[in-house]
Amino acid sequence: MTTMLAARRIAKGSAVTLAFALAAEGRAQVAPLDGHTFNPPARTITLSVASELLYDTNVARGSEEVATLRGLDRKDVRSSTVAAIDLSLPGGRGSFDLLGQVGYDAYARNSRLDRERIDLSAAGKLSVAFCGVNAGLGYRRGQSDLADLSLVANLPDGAAVNVQTVSRADLSLTCGPQIGVRPFASIGHVDTANSAAVRQVQDVTQTHYAAGLAYVNPAVGIVSVVVRRTTFDYDRRSVDSSLGPPRFRVSYAGVGFDRRLGAALQMTASIGYAAVSEPAMPSARRLNGLNWDLATSLRLADTARLTLRTSRTIDAAPGTFANQIRRSSYGGTIVYALGPALRFDATASLMTRNFEFGAAPRPLQLIDDTTQDYALGMEYRRERARVRLTAAYRRRDATPDLYDFSGFLLSLGVRYELER
C-alpha cells in the first residue's frame, strides 16, 4: 500500500510537487505511473473493505538459525482485514486528497507478530495569486518487515517484534507563470520510532530542505533543477555511541524530468549526486555517488501495459544498527487484460542494499544483501467486487550468510468497494 500511496501523491500533485518528487529519492522497487502531469485530478470518493489470506514459507526472513534466534516458526498463514478510503476533492483554487487504510494482521502460529496496520496520507493544494502552496501529512504504523530487522543476540522478542511508527509533514511553495520558469522551495520532516527497546537508539528524525527551478511547458513537460539537504538525527543515541555520532547529513543536487502527457507513454526521471557528510570517524564505507529514479509506463495496444522502474537512494536504517542504507532497485511489471473482468500481471525486481555502520559492524549485523522478487497475479472483477490470487517467490543473498533465504508466498484476497 505504501507504494500505491507514493504513486498517487505524485500523480495527484501540482507541477511543483511533481518537480519536487522527481528530484527526491525513490523508495519503491516497482511503482506504477498514474495520471498526467497537467490534468487536474478527477473527483473520487471510494470506500472499500478487503480480506486476505497469505501463506508464507519463510516468515522469519532468514535461515533456520535466524528463525530460532527470532523464536519463530518459518511457515505460517496470515489473515488480514482492511478498511480503506480514497478521496480526491478538486476545487477552483485548490484541492484535497486523502488516502488511507486501517487493518489488522493475525498469524496462525506466530501470534507475537499480530499487529494493527495503519497508513494515512493527506495532501492539500491552494493557489494564491501567482503562487501555489502544497502541504502534506502522513502517518504509518505497523509491524516491521523482518527482512528490515537485524538480529539481536539472546533477545528473540527484540529480534522479531517491532512496531515502527512513521510521521511525515511536507510544505512546498512555487511562484511564477503557468507556463515558463517557476522557482520552488520546500521543507519536510519525517519522524521514525521503534517500539522495541533495543532498537530505540535507531529512532531517527529526518529534516530536508530543497530549492530549485522548474521549466513548465505542456509541449515538453516539466524540467527541474534542484538542490537538497537532508539531516538525519538519531536523538536517542549518545555522542560516544559505538554506532557513531548522532547526526549525519546528505547533500543532493540533480535534475528531473516529468512527461506524463499522453495515455500511451508516460515517464518521470531524475538523476543527481548525493554526498554524505559525517563527523570525523573511521568508517567501513562511504555511500557517496549518483542517485537516480527512472519510471516509465507504456501501453501496449489496448489490453496490456508495461511499467519499468529503477532507482538508487540513501535512506535511514531504523530497523538495523546502521547509520544509512544505499538502496538500488530495478524492476518491471506487465499487466494484461483478458476482457473487462479478468486481468493477469507479472512482476520481477532486484534490490541491493549496502549498510554504513560506523567503525565496525556489531555481531549479527546485516552488512549487504541482494533480494530477488518474482510474482504472478490474477484478478477477477465483478461490479464492485474483486478477487485476487497471487503467487510469489523471494530469494535473498546477504552478508553474513545466515540472512540468506528463499521462500514462496501464496495469497487469496477479496475486496468490495463503493465508489461515488
Side-chain angles (χ1 to χ4, degrees):
M1 185 66 180
T2 304
T3 298
M4 293 305 298
L5 288 172
R8 274 285 307 280
R9 279 195 293 270
I10 293 175
K12 288 181 171 289
S14 68
V16 179
T17 305
L18 288 166
F20 228 174
L22 291 176
E25 298 85 355
R27 289 179 170 80
Q29 291 190 51
V30 181
L33 291 176
D34 183 20
H36 299 272
T37 305
F38 297 96
N39 291 356
R43 179 184 175 89
T44 302
I45 303 176
T46 303
L47 301 174
S48 64
V49 292
S51 182
E52 181 192 58
L53 284 177
L54 171 68
Y55 173 68
D56 190 342
T57 64
N58 201 318
V59 174
R61 301 293 184 260
S63 63
E64 292 186 8
E65 182 181 355
V66 168
T68 300
L69 291 171
R70 296 195 196 275
L72 298 175
D73 292 327
R74 297 183 76 191
K75 297 180 180 180
D76 206 345
V77 175
R78 187 191 74 190
S79 62
S80 302
T81 303
V82 177
I85 183 172
D86 182 345
L87 175 69
S88 181
L89 300 176
R93 301 183 64 85
S95 64
F96 176 76
D97 296 286
L98 175 65
L99 290 166
Q101 68 169 8
V102 177
Y104 192 82
D105 297 332
Y107 287 82
R109 295 179 177 177
N110 299 292
S111 59
R112 290 189 300 130
L113 300 180
D114 294 354
R115 203 74 63 224
E116 74 279 3
R117 179 154 45 94
I118 303 171
D119 198 337
L120 302 172
S121 177
K125 171 189 173 184
L126 179 64
S127 297
V128 180
F130 59 91
C131 292
V133 179
N134 294 267
L137 294 172
Y139 179 84
R140 187 173 71 249
R141 176 180 172 87
Q143 164 67 35
S144 297
D145 188 330
L146 297 190
D148 297 329
L149 292 182
S150 57
L151 292 167
V152 181
N154 303 317
L155 286 176
D157 277 344
V161 178
N162 184 63
V163 180
Q164 195 171 97
T165 303
V166 181
S167 303
R168 174 186 59 83
D170 300 285
L171 181 67
S172 65
L173 173 70
T174 184
C175 295
Q178 292 297 316
I179 299 177
V181 177
R182 310 182 70 182
F184 62 88
S186 78
I187 183 173
H189 181 87
V190 181
D191 185 78
T192 304
N194 296 298
S195 67
V198 70
R199 298 188 191 277
Q200 290 176 358
V201 293
Q202 289 298 100
D203 291 357
V204 59
T205 297
Q206 300 175 59
T207 305
H208 67 259
Y209 310 88
L213 293 174
Y215 174 71
V216 182
N217 191 314
V220 177
I222 301 174
V223 180
S224 60
V225 179
V226 66
V227 291
R228 178 185 178 106
R229 167 68 66 85
T230 303
T231 302
F232 298 80
D233 287 306
Y234 293 91
D235 297 327
R236 306 187 72 167
R237 183 187 295 182
S238 62
V239 176
D240 58 351
S241 169
S242 61
L243 293 170
R247 168 171 286 196
F248 304 88
R249 294 186 178 92
V250 176
S251 301
Y252 173 90
V255 296
F257 177 68
D258 184 330
R259 196 174 194 276
R260 291 179 284 164
L261 304 177
L265 177 63
Q266 301 184 17
M267 176 183 292
T268 64
S270 68
I271 187 169
Y273 188 85
V276 180
S277 174
E278 297 182 357
M281 70 171 198
S283 180
R285 62 180 62 178
R286 286 288 185 266
L287 303 182
N288 300 346
L290 286 178
N291 281 10
W292 64 80
D293 193 342
L294 170 65
T296 182
S297 180
L298 175 65
R299 189 178 69 184
L300 307 172
D302 293 327
T303 58
R305 179 170 289 276
L306 174 66
T307 300
L308 301 173
R309 183 159 191 172
T310 176
S311 66
R312 172 175 284 181
T313 180
I314 297 174
D315 206 351
T320 67
F321 298 101
N323 298 316
Q324 290 97 28
I325 303 174
R326 183 175 62 199
R327 181 184 292 106
S328 304
S329 60
Y330 313 84
T333 298
I334 186 167
V335 179
Y336 178 76
L338 190 63
L342 188 62
R343 63 177 56 193
F344 299 88
D345 56 83
T347 298
S349 64
L350 173 70
M351 180 179 69
T352 62
R353 299 189 297 181
N354 308 115
F355 296 79
E356 196 283 312
F357 41 76
R362 286 191 173 194
L364 306 178
Q365 171 66 39
L366 180 59
I367 298 174
D368 297 289
D369 67 357
T370 299
T371 304
Q372 304 172 52
D373 286 289
Y374 306 93
L376 295 174
M378 179 181 69
E379 183 173 281
Y380 177 75
R381 303 183 178 190
R382 178 84 174 178
E383 296 179 347
R384 297 186 177 94
R386 300 184 182 186
V387 179
R388 180 173 178 80
L389 178 66
T390 305
Y393 172 77
R394 171 174 286 188
R395 177 183 177 87
R396 179 168 75 176
D397 296 308
T399 303
D401 292 341
L402 80 166
Y403 288 102
D404 293 353
F405 79 91
S406 62
F408 290 93
L409 301 95
L410 183 65
S411 68
L412 175 64
V414 179
R415 176 181 171 188
Y416 184 82
E417 62 183 31
L418 296 173
E419 185 173 356
R420 180 179 176 183

